[in-house]
């Protein structure tokens, strides 16, 4: 350990430190050495400085957390590192950062206190990437920890930043990291009843491209459908790029039956829940199903507004199958408050429906316009960035090359010979 | 659970609320920052501070944890955010959950979620009664909770008033009393200030729909709006 310590504290270049630590072999002896104290008995962590010696502290912390029988560092020290490390240095060892995140989660769980991992992981996930649009291996670990700690609001500052960038040099990502992050993010948003955002996260998971759908994508699709029923009263069509196998498999599940009978056939919905209770419970969807069932009268009432100009409370109760007039009033007030309907209740119990009056301010219009412009600018940037990529260019050129080959093979080759200066003739005219 | 055992647990939860040992824990050390934020009515700060205290605490078994969680729940209710309030209570241990204060907060949350107006006002009064007692374990904490509960009840009443302005063309005075948890005279007086009509014979109130917050009137243009629109048009032309 003394030799390693000497090397890492006297080398200024972080790349050199990273290469040195990576190249130490065998790896298990390296980690055992890093987990030990100095020959003087001092703890190297008490001498090293997190911002200046980020790589060294990172390797030592991971070694202490992963090596068997090594004394785990207190969470306060780990937390201090996560708040103060130098991200640029840490990016030389993305695998260590992943290991650190996993070990923090594991340590907190072993102490029966998953909440203790939230802050260190939050600082790690927000400080490590160059900006919040990058997905890292820390993201799914962080969101999973928030679920384990029953602390959905702690995840909001991270979930509010959409992921638009992937860099496998920055983080040793695999395909599942994207799926798990968006699935667990959807669960956290659903816990907070932020339905539109939850739906978006589940959709990203369910529609992620792949030759064969992953099991988690089916779970995301089930939750997405339930969230759509809760928020909108109906399921929305899936994007065209959704895997067809996934949609076919979903049709064979009791969830599809539930969606099909929603919201009017309340008795059938209750039957489905009772019959498949153990399945729904094991898949952790019973809560969402109950919420959807509780909100079924709401959507049935909303359908009435398309047909009737006014009704009285008793008639509404009969139509939506609520016996108590008090409950009908409560439902109406709730729907008026949330903007689902526009209605006016009179003292005699009659309810008059109307079209909702537009309510917006200039500031809201400006904000929407600004948001649209920002999104357009981002899309334009992403499109140009993709068009510069080697994969896209090679596929585009290959595609055009195939078209050229076909053009010269047929009897029309004389036509192509007279057109334009390029080999493709008219095909290149628009470029 | 036997009633006697439950009663003994509740008594222990109230009596055993004094922190063990002489060294203040992180909840007690940081409680003054919560008090300061409440005194400034900076509820976003209360949320941030209370969440941070709870996340950083080493242990979650001590009763001083209520110093962070109870204000947090009330502030979430003030901000009309019931889901995070629910999870803040769900994270408490069984012994905390048995505390009379937590029982009342759990009930308040449930009644607020189901919009059981009468019970909301009643439970708010019970909370204030509990924390105002001379033997309440922490006087300053009691004052903080009294303020937050009072603010919440006022906000809840105000939101309900705006809702019934929007939702009702006419309603009986008795129904308004139930919604607003106030006497008929007070409601009639407040209603008059907001342009409502009152038919004393039929005891019917007629809300004025324009008292609901609607900002249809467009504000006048400004230089910043002009620059924004000019840039937007420029980008369209590009």
């Amino acid at each position: 350990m003394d030799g390693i310590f000497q090397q890492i504290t006297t080398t200024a270049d972080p790349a050199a430190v990273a290469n040195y630590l990576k190249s130490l072999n065998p790896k298990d002896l390296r980690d055992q050495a890093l987990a030990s104290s100095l020959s003087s008995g001092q703890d190297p962590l008490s001498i090293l400085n997190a911002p200046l010696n980020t790589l060294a502290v990172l390797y030592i912390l991971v070694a202490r957390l992963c090596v068997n029988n090594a004394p785990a560092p207190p969470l306060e020290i780990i937390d201090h590192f996560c708040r103060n490390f130098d991200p640029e240095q840490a990016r030389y060892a993305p695998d260590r950062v992943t290991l650190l995140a996993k070990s923090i989660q594991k340590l907190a769980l072993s102490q029966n206190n998953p909440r203790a991992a939230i802050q260190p992981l939050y600082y790690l996930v927000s400080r490590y990437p160059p900006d919040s649009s990058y997905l890292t291996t820390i993201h799914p670990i962080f969101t999973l920890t928030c679920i384990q700690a029953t602390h959905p609001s702690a995840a909001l500052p991270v979930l509010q930043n959409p992921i638009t960038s992937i860099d496998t040099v920055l983080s040793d990502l695999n395909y599942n990291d994207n799926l798990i992050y968006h699935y667990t993010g959807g669960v956290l948003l659903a816990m907070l009843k932020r339905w539109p955002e939850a739906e978006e996260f589940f959709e990203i998971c369910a529609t992620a491209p792949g030759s064969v759908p992953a099991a988690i994508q089916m779970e995301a699709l089930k939750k997405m459908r339930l969230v759509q029923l809760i928020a909108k009263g109906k399921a929305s069509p899936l994007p065209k790029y959704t895997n067809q196998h996934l949609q076919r498999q979903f049709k064979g599940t009791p969830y599809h039956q539930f969606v099909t009978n929603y919201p009017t056939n309340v008795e059938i919905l209750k039957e489905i829940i009772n019959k498949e209770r153990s399945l729904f419970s094991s898949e952790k969807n019973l809560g969402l199903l109950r919420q959807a069932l509780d909100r079924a009268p709401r959507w049935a009432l909303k359908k009435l507004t398309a047909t009737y100009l006014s009704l009285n409370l008793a008639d509404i109760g009969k139509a939506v199958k609520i016996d108590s007039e008090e409950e009908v009033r409560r439902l109406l007030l709730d729907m008026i408050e949330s903007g689902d309907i526009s209605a006016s209740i009179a003292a005699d119990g009659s309810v008059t429906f109307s079209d909702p009056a537009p309510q917006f301010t200039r500031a809201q219009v400006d904000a929407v316009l600004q948001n649209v412009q920002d999104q357009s600018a981002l899309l334009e940037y992403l499109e140009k960035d993709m068009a510069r990529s080697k994969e896209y260019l090679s596929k585009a050129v290959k595609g055009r090359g195939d078209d050229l080959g076909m053009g010269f093979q047929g009897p029309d080759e004389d036509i192509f010979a007279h057109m334009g200066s390029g080999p493709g003739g008219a095909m290149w005219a628009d470029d | 659970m036997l009633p006697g055992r439950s009663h003994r647990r509740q008594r222990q939860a109230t009596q055993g609320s004094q922190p063990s040992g002489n060294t203040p824990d992180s909840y007690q050390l940081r409680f003054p920052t919560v008090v300061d934020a409440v005194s400034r009515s900076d509820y976003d700060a209360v949320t941030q501070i209370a969440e941070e205290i709870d996340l950083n605490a080493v242990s979650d078994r001590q009763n001083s944890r209520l110093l962070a969680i109870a204000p947090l729940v009330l502030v979430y209710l003030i901000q009309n955010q019931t889901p995070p309030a629910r999870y803040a209570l769900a994270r408490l241990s069984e012994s905390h959950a048995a505390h009379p204060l937590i029982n009342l907060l759990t009930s308040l949350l449930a009644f607020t979620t189901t919009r059981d107006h009468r019970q909301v006002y009643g439970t708010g009064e019970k909370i204030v009664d509990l924390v105002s007692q001379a033997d309440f374990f922490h006087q300053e904490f009691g004052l903080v909770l009294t303020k937050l509960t009072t603010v919440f009840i006022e906000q809840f009443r105000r939101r309900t008033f705006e809702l019934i302005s929007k939702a009702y063309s006419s309603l009986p005075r008795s129904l308004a009393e139930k919604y607003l948890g106030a006497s008929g005279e007070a409601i009639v007086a407040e209603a008059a200030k907001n342009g409502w009509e009152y038919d004393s014979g039929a005891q019917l109130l007629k809300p004025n729909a324009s008292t609901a917050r609607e900002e249809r009137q467009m504000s006048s243009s400004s230089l910043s709006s002009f620059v924004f629109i000019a840039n937007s048009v420029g980008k369209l032309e590009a």
Side-chain angles (χ1 to χ4, degrees), chain A residues 162 182 186 195-205 207 224 227:
Chain A
H182 285 100
W195 306 120
E197 292 146 293
E199 183 189 347
E200 188 182 341
F201 268 68
F202 286 134
E203 185 180 298
I204 291 172
C205 178
T207 60
M224 186 184 92
V227 163

Side-chain angles (χ1 to χ4, degrees), chain B residues 169-189:
Chain B
S169 55
S170 59
L171 74 161
R173 180 172 130 165
S174 56
L175 192 55
E177 286 172 1
K178 194 197 86 168
Y179 281 135
L180 299 173
S183 69
E185 291 78 21
I187 291 172
V188 170

Side-chain angles (χ1 to χ4, degrees), chain B residues 33-45:
Chain B
T33 55
V34 173
V35 175
D36 178 60
V38 170
S39 66
R40 289 181 281 112
S41 302
D42 187 349
Y43 300 122
D44 288 342

Side-chain angles (χ1 to χ4, degrees), chain A residues 288-301:
Chain A
L288 284 175
L289 281 152
R290 284 197 184 122
Q291 287 188 69
L293 187 64
D294 287 344
R295 286 169 72 91
R298 179 183 206 96
W299 306 117
L301 199 159

